[in-house]
Amino acid sequence: MNDQIRRNLALFPIGIVQKLTDLTARQIRYYEQHQLVYPARTEGNQRLYSFNDVERLLEVKKLIEQGLNIAGIKTVLGTAKTASELLPISEKEQAKMVKEVKRDLSDRELRDLLKKEILHTHKPGLKGMQHNSFNAGDLSRFFH
DNA sequence: GTTCTGACA
DNA sequence: TGTCAGCA
C-alpha cells in the first residue's frame, strides 16, 4: 500500500479532526457545506476524514486566520467535486495565487472607485474614499 | 458517548 | 460561529 492511497483513507470521525485541526465541528461541517473538503461517510452517515482532508482543513484554517472568507479560500485552494480530484498546491504556488488575486481585486476595487467617482462627479464628498486607502499587501481587506 | 441536520441569536 | 433540539 503506497502513501497516495494511505493519505486518502477515510479514517477519522469529526471529533478526532477537531483535535487535529483545532477547528470546531461547526466550522468543519461549514467548510464541507462550501465544498472545501469532501469527507467520506459511514453507513450511518457519519463523516470520516482522511489525512488529505485534515491537511486540506489546515490549509483552510490558515487562510481563515489570514482573514479570507470562503470565496477567497476557494480562489486560492481551488475546488473539486471529490477528494480524489483535489490537487496539492505548493506553498509557493499558493503565495503566487494570493498575490495575483490580490492584484485582481485591487484592480477591481480601483475600477469600482472610478465608477463611483464618475457617477458622483457633482458630489463633493470624496474625503471619505481617500480614507479608504487600500493596503496593497492585505488581501483580506478585499475578501471580507 | 458521539455525530447528524436544521434552525436561531 | 455558538448552541440547542431531537434523532440515529
Side-chain angles (χ1 to χ4, degrees), chain A residues 29-85:
Chain A
R29 297 190 185 110
Y30 181 73
Y31 302 148
E32 176 186 357
Q33 258 192 305
H34 291 275
Q35 304 179 291
L36 263 23
V37 288
Y38 304 85
R41 296 280 183 145
T42 65
E43 292 185 7
N45 197 40
Q46 302 207 167
R47 274 166 268 249
L48 287 182
Y49 299 81
S50 67
F51 285 105
N52 277 165
D53 291 328
V54 174
E55 283 184 27
R56 176 87 170 178
L57 284 170
L58 289 173
E59 296 291 280
V60 171
K61 183 190 176 190
K62 182 171 67 180
L63 295 174
I64 284 290
E65 289 172 339
Q66 287 176 16
L68 298 198
N69 58 21
I70 300 297
I73 293 173
K74 283 185 178 179
T75 302
V76 176
L77 295 185
T79 60
K81 287 187 177 181
T82 68
S84 61
E85 286 177 18

